[in-house]
């Protein structure tokens, strides 16, 4: 039969799923990737950061689901952090012992500025000081969300760290020369007149 396909070096698997049920349905696949030591980037949607913990649709603690399965779990909080977060996650998935990583992308970091500003930027006309405070808070949140989003990002090759075995680690487990023929095993040698008067030699 033909040999199994070889996964090209320097590449990782990528999966994108929706928030809530899409993320929970990926738990089994992520566990398989962890056991197989396969580099995998899981991208999961999430409720808007502003609505976290406030009963938004499909809002659950997704990071806790993968803390014991992934090498790193992170949620992006600003548009300017998308590229650096992905670069670090991909390098982590490939470095050391390969494995899965999880990056959560809230919905408000995925849409254009004018869409987010229209949806959560507050109304133009407000009444009373409470309405003005709320409007100021929402507008400030949108500005911080997109601050620095158009600045250039580092696109240099990722710094993947591949561990190399030392000479001591390579030589570990090599049995040194020993005159006894049973070296390396465990057994009992009986000499003399049987079990009653014999001499026991325990070899480890």
């Amino acid at each position: 039969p033909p040999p199994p396909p070889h996964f090209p070096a320097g590449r990782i698997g990528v999966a994108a799923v929706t928030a809530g049920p899409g993320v929970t349905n990926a738990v089994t696949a992520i566990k398989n990737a962890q056991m197989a030591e396969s580099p995998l980037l899981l991208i999961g949607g999430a409720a808007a950061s502003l609505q976290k913990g406030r009963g938004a649709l499909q809002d659950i603690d997704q990071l806790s689901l993968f803390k014991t399965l992934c090498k790193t779990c992170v949620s992006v909080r600003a548009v300017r952090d998308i590229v650096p977060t992905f670069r670090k996650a991909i390098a982590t998935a490939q470095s050391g012992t390969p494995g899965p990583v999880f990056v959560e992308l809230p919905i408000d970091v995925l849409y254009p500025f004018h869409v987010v500003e229209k949806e959560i930027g507050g109304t133009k006309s407000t009444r009373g000081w409470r309405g003005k405070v709320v409007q100021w808070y929402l507008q400030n949140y949108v500005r911080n969300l997109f601050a620095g989003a158009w600045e250039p990002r580092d696109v240099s090759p990722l710094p993947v760290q591949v561990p190399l075995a030392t000479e001591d680690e390579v030589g570990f487990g090599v049995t040194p020369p020993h005159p006894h023929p049973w070296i390396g095993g465990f057994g009992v040698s009986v000499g003399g007149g049987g079990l009653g008067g014999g001499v026991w030699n325990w070899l480890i």
Side-chain angles (χ1 to χ4, degrees):
H6 176 68
F7 198 82
R11 298 185 181 182
I12 68 171
V14 179
V17 296
T18 187
V23 172
T24 56
N25 287 341
V27 171
T28 302
I30 293 300
K31 180 59 180 180
N32 288 337
Q34 180 197 40
M35 297 177 63
E37 298 181 357
S38 298
L40 172 65
L41 170 63
L42 176 65
I43 305 172
S49 301
L50 191 64
Q51 298 175 326
K52 284 283 188 180
R54 299 183 181 182
L57 178 64
Q58 299 178 347
D59 179 26
I60 61 175
D61 187 4
Q62 301 179 145
L63 299 181
S64 297
L65 292 175
F66 297 105
K67 283 184 177 180
T68 59
L69 303 177
C70 294
K71 298 179 65 177
T72 185
C73 299
V74 62
S75 180
V76 177
R77 297 299 183 183
V79 177
R80 62 182 175 274
D81 297 330
I82 293 178
V83 173
T85 300
F86 275 121
R87 286 177 55 84
K88 185 177 180 180
I90 293 173
T92 301
Q94 294 178 296
S95 300
T97 301
V101 294
F102 175 58
V103 175
E104 182 184 75
L105 292 178
I107 192 172
D108 49 355
V109 303
L110 298 178
Y111 281 86
F113 174 80
H114 69 277
V115 175
V116 178
E117 184 183 34
K118 181 180 179 180
E119 292 295 329
I120 64 175
T123 60
K124 297 297 182 181
S125 59
T126 57
R127 296 180 180 180
W129 64 271
R130 291 185 179 180
K132 293 181 179 179
V133 170
V134 172
Q135 182 184 24
W136 172 85
Y137 175 80
L138 293 176
Q139 292 178 348
N140 189 62
Y141 171 81
V142 174
R143 294 191 188 100
N144 290 334
L145 188 67
F146 285 89
W150 294 272
E151 297 179 359
R153 293 290 179 263
D154 181 19
V155 292
S156 60
L158 295 174
V160 177
Q161 304 293 332
V162 179
L164 300 177
T166 64
E167 294 183 1
D168 293 338
E169 292 172 338
V170 172
F172 180 76
V174 177
T175 304
H178 195 280
H180 203 290
W182 285 6
I183 188 66
F186 178 82
V188 178
S189 175
V190 181
L195 294 177
V199 179
W200 295 77
N201 293 324
W202 295 87
L203 304 178
I204 299 176

